[in-house]
């Protein structure tokens, strides 16, 4: 029996009493992935990206481990909910226009002490001040640095379009604006190098593209390390008591951790290891989060149909945004249909061994987005479900 076949047998035994659709997290794989992130971070704390987990029980589990500290959240409403749930170090990774949320934050010193908000424009400070509604709590602020690689005099840009702040002078100017402004305290800098951390450099069957990605990422790492160090020096000249400099992502943990200017690493997808993180030369994780769909039809030889399964991931539309049939090995989508909203036909010789009611296991393309489809995660240890825990959705929250 292959290792994957053994995993399938374990998952089937563990969930034999449960009807699909369902989602699981293999805790042995989850914990091994957490340990690998800490190893690659080489002594710098890892801040967990909540959008890649979206389950309070698993956030608590990973934060209880040595090497992890704090949460990187994705909306202000989520940040406030987590703070009220007892988490006390939350960095909101994206600017917000949630006026109601800012009023709540400014009215409660405890919340304001637990949550740090992201800004890259004075207009965002204006919005927060206008939303205070009399609240006087000091709002903790982090500045975001644009990490994109620009070539040919800026005519070519590689990387996400996030912050407009790129140069040391630009960040220092905004730092001075925050420092002069009553009701705010600048505590950190964040820089997410998605073109390094979130792009695989070992693409199956595409050696030339893989080499081009590796060359691009090597150049981007060199440019960003130099510019980030200069930015941190410039901002620390304005705010010497800066608490943290956050950088990284699952695919670049060890590279970002090697920069002296960086004090902590952000990562989250590396805990679940969805399919988009299969194509890296720098690390190999264990798939920990899966979902199962039941076989409901057998249309013919070499074909089964499962219920639902059409769970595409965000990002530029393409085949790499689709979940993939994982267990049993050898099943593929019908190219004329793909994964469907209500039913999904699957082709391949393993289909002939599947019976009505059997489970087919899938991997999602991205990490936490899977939790938007399920109210609960079945936590598996060995071949036993040891706990059933709610996702954000299961707790009644869909923050985006």
């Amino acid at each position: 029996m292959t290792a994957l076949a053994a995993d399938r047998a374990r998952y089937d035994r563990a969930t034999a009493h449960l009807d699909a659709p369902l989602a699981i997290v293999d805790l042995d794989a989850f914990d091994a992935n957490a340990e690998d992130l800490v190893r690659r971070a080489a002594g710098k704390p890892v801040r967990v990206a909540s959008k890649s987990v979206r389950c309070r029980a698993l956030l608590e589990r990973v934060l209880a481990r040595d090497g992890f500290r704090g949460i990187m959240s994705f909306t202000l409403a989520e940040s406030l909910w987590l703070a009220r749930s007892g988490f006390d170090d939350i960095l909101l990774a994206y600017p917000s226009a949630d006026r109601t949320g800012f009023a709540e934050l400014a009215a409660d010193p405890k919340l304001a002490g637990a949550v740090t908000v992201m800004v890259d424009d004075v207009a965002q400070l204006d919005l927060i001040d206008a939303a205070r509604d009399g609240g006087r709590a000091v709002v903790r602020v982090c500045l975001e640095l644009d990490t994109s690689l620009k070539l040919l005099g800026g005519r070519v840009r590689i990387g996400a379009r996030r912050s407009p702040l790129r140069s040391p002078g630009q960040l220092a100017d905004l730092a001075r604006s925050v420092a002069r402004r009553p009701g705010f305290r600048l505590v950190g800098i964040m820089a997410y190098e998605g073109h390094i951390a979130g792009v695989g450099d070992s693409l199956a069957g595409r050696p030339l593209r893989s080499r081009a990605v590796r060359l691009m990422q090597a150049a981007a790492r060199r440019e960003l390390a130099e510019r980030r160090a200069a930015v941190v020096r410039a901002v620390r000249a304005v705010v010497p008591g800066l608490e943290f400099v956050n950088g990284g992502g699952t695919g670049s943990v060890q590279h970002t951790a090697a920069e002296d200017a960086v004090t902590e690493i952000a990562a989250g997808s590396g805990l679940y290891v969805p399919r988009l993180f299969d194509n890296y030369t720098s690390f190999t994780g264990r798939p920990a989060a899966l979902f199962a769909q039941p076989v409901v039809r057998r249309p013919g030889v070499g074909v089964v149909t499962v219920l639902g399964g059409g769970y595409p991931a965000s990002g530029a539309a393409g085949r790499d945004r689709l979940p993939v049939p994982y267990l049993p090995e050898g099943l593929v989508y019908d190219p004329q249909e793909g994964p469907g909203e209500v039913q999904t036909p699957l082709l391949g010789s393993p289909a002939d061994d599947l019976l009505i009611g059997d489970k087919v296991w899938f991997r999602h393309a991205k990490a936490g987005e899977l939790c938007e489809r399920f109210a609960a995660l079945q936590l598996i240890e060995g071949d036993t479900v040891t706990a059933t825990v709610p996702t954000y959705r299961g707790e009644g929250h869909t923050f985006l």
Side-chain angles (χ1 to χ4, degrees), residues 80-153:
L80 298 175
W81 176 64
L82 290 173
R84 292 190 175 104
S85 300
F87 297 97
D88 61 3
D89 181 3
I90 303 159
L91 170 61
L92 174 56
Y94 306 88
S96 176
D98 180 355
R99 292 176 174 83
T100 300
F102 283 127
E104 293 176 16
L105 185 71
D108 189 330
K110 185 174 180 181
L111 290 178
V115 176
T116 300
V117 304
M118 191 66 59
V119 302
D120 56 35
D121 192 310
V122 170
Q124 293 154 354
L125 301 176
D126 294 340
L127 185 147
I128 295 170
D129 267 339
R132 282 181 180 272
D133 194 26
R136 295 172 178 250
V138 173
V139 175
R140 292 166 55 86
V141 168
C142 179
L143 307 183
E144 182 169 1
L145 166 67
D146 170 33
T147 67
S148 62
L149 176 65
K150 293 188 176 181
L151 304 171
L152 302 178

Side-chain angles (χ1 to χ4, degrees), residues 174-231:
L174 187 52
R176 279 187 282 271
S177 295
V178 175
R180 288 194 297 260
R181 194 155 183 155
F184 294 91
R185 183 164 80 251
L186 179 59
V187 297
I189 299 172
M190 189 196 82
Y192 171 58
E193 51 267 38
H195 51 303
I196 304 170
V199 178
D201 63 351
S202 180
L203 307 176
R206 307 183 71 180
L208 294 180
R209 179 169 176 80
S210 297
R211 177 165 173 74
V213 169
R214 287 194 290 272
L215 290 172
M216 176 276 290
Q217 290 180 338
R221 284 195 299 269
R222 289 192 298 270
E223 187 276 336
L224 178 58
E226 181 178 336
R227 184 158 52 89
R228 179 155 40 198
V231 162

